[in-house]
Amino acid sequence: MSYENWKDKTAGFEKIDVRKLQGNFFPGLKKKAESLKAGEGLVIIQSFEPHPLYEVFEKLGFEHHTEKIAEHEFHAFFYRSEVIAGDDDETPFRPIALLNYPLIDEDLGKIAVDFWNLTWKSEKRRLPYEMRLLLSLANAVGAGRMRQASRELIKAYARGVDSAVFDDVFELLAWNQGIGFFSSEIGPSPLFQAYKMIKTAEKRGKERTEIIESLTEKFGEKNPEVGVQ
């Protein structure tokens, strides 16, 4: 269904202006979207085009249409054409850190979101998403960003990456970074804690969904060693 088929209904959509909201308001938005019936919708007002929301809302049965109203005002219309239950196995760690940039400068916020969209969502990319997560993990370790590396590992596992792949990744990290660095920096890190948690849980016969739930609970956004504030 195209926007032309439901644009006349947008006048009745609830408007939610998130431009000045701070913190992770995504759970509230998702809960609101999930409560809507087929044929209903809402409008999200943001200072940049809200690319991170498109995929999430699409999985719930929404179509979208975005209009640039002013230099730093975008209206994203979401129309629920069908009701699809939320995916309990969705990738953790949505890019909420992007919301910090508009607080510094509106133009910087737009640049950051567009860059994220180009890097992670563009059809130009040729490497599979899971491969890019693993490369991002390795690059983060090399730059000393264990917090980011931990998030990439958990996202990759949530996307279906086999834990045996992580064995290869850590072996390569030991080879490239050196045993000393691995022992003193990687071993005690939340990154390796998450890895060990996965391996231990799998040996105990736990299902992937259960393991992901435990990972999200232990290493979620409120965890100061992993989450983005």
Side-chain angles (χ1 to χ4, degrees):
M1 184 184 299
S2 68
Y3 171 64
E4 294 297 322
N5 294 327
W6 51 267
K7 69 177 183 178
D8 292 339
K9 298 183 180 182
T10 59
F13 288 4
E14 178 181 350
K15 293 184 178 181
I16 303 177
D17 191 338
V18 301
R19 287 175 291 181
K20 300 303 179 182
L21 296 181
Q22 298 184 30
N24 184 8
F25 54 76
F26 170 75
L29 280 182
K30 184 181 177 185
K31 185 175 181 180
K32 178 66 178 179
E34 289 175 327
S35 71
L36 297 180
K37 301 176 182 178
E40 298 180 335
L42 51 80
V43 185
I44 305 298
I45 303 174
Q46 182 57 288
S47 56
F48 49 81
E49 186 171 359
H51 294 288
L53 292 181
Y54 294 159
E55 181 182 5
V56 178
F57 277 62
E58 181 180 337
K59 289 182 177 180
L60 295 174
F62 285 85
E63 300 174 14
H64 73 269
H65 170 78
T66 302
E67 297 179 359
K68 183 177 180 180
I69 306 302
E71 183 63 26
H72 299 298
E73 182 176 347
F74 289 79
H75 289 200
F77 299 85
F78 292 94
Y79 173 75
R80 197 165 204 182
S81 57
E82 60 177 322
V83 175
I84 301 177
D87 185 2
D88 293 332
D89 191 30
E90 70 176 26
T91 305
F93 300 109
R94 295 289 175 183
I96 61 173
L98 296 175
L99 302 175
N100 292 329
Y101 295 106
L103 298 176
I104 303 170
D105 183 273
E106 298 286 0
D107 290 326
L108 179 60
K110 182 180 184 304
I111 291 171
V113 171
D114 288 345
F115 190 20
W116 174 86
N117 186 62
L118 178 66
T119 303
W120 293 103
K121 297 297 181 181
S122 174
E123 295 181 356
K124 296 179 180 179
R125 305 283 72 83
R126 291 297 176 263
L127 284 175
Y129 182 78
E130 293 76 14
M131 177 66 73
R132 283 183 283 130
L133 284 172
L134 296 178
L135 286 173
S136 183
L137 184 164
N139 288 333
V141 171
R145 298 195 301 269
M146 294 300 179
R147 178 179 294 188
Q148 177 190 352
S150 304
R151 295 196 301 274
E152 307 297 41
L153 180 138
I154 295 171
K155 285 190 286 187
Y157 189 70
R159 296 278 300 199
V161 173
D162 194 293
S163 65
V165 173
F166 298 144
D167 299 346
D168 291 351
V169 170
F170 281 107
E171 184 176 48
L172 287 169
L173 287 174
W175 170 259
N176 286 287
Q177 298 292 334
I179 294 296
F181 182 86
F182 192 98
S183 299
S184 64
E185 302 298 328
I186 297 178
S189 71
L191 167 66
F192 202 70
Q193 291 175 34
Y195 165 72
K196 289 194 296 184
M197 185 174 179
I198 291 171
K199 301 295 287 188
T200 301
E202 287 185 341
K203 287 182 179 179
R204 293 175 178 173
K206 291 188 177 182
E207 297 292 332
R208 181 180 291 262
T209 53
E210 185 179 358
I211 298 173
I212 294 171
E213 183 178 349
S214 298
L215 286 168
T216 304
E217 180 179 351
K218 181 175 176 60
F219 299 99
E221 298 292 356
K222 294 184 179 180
N223 184 317
E225 291 186 305
V226 179
V228 177
Q229 305 300 321

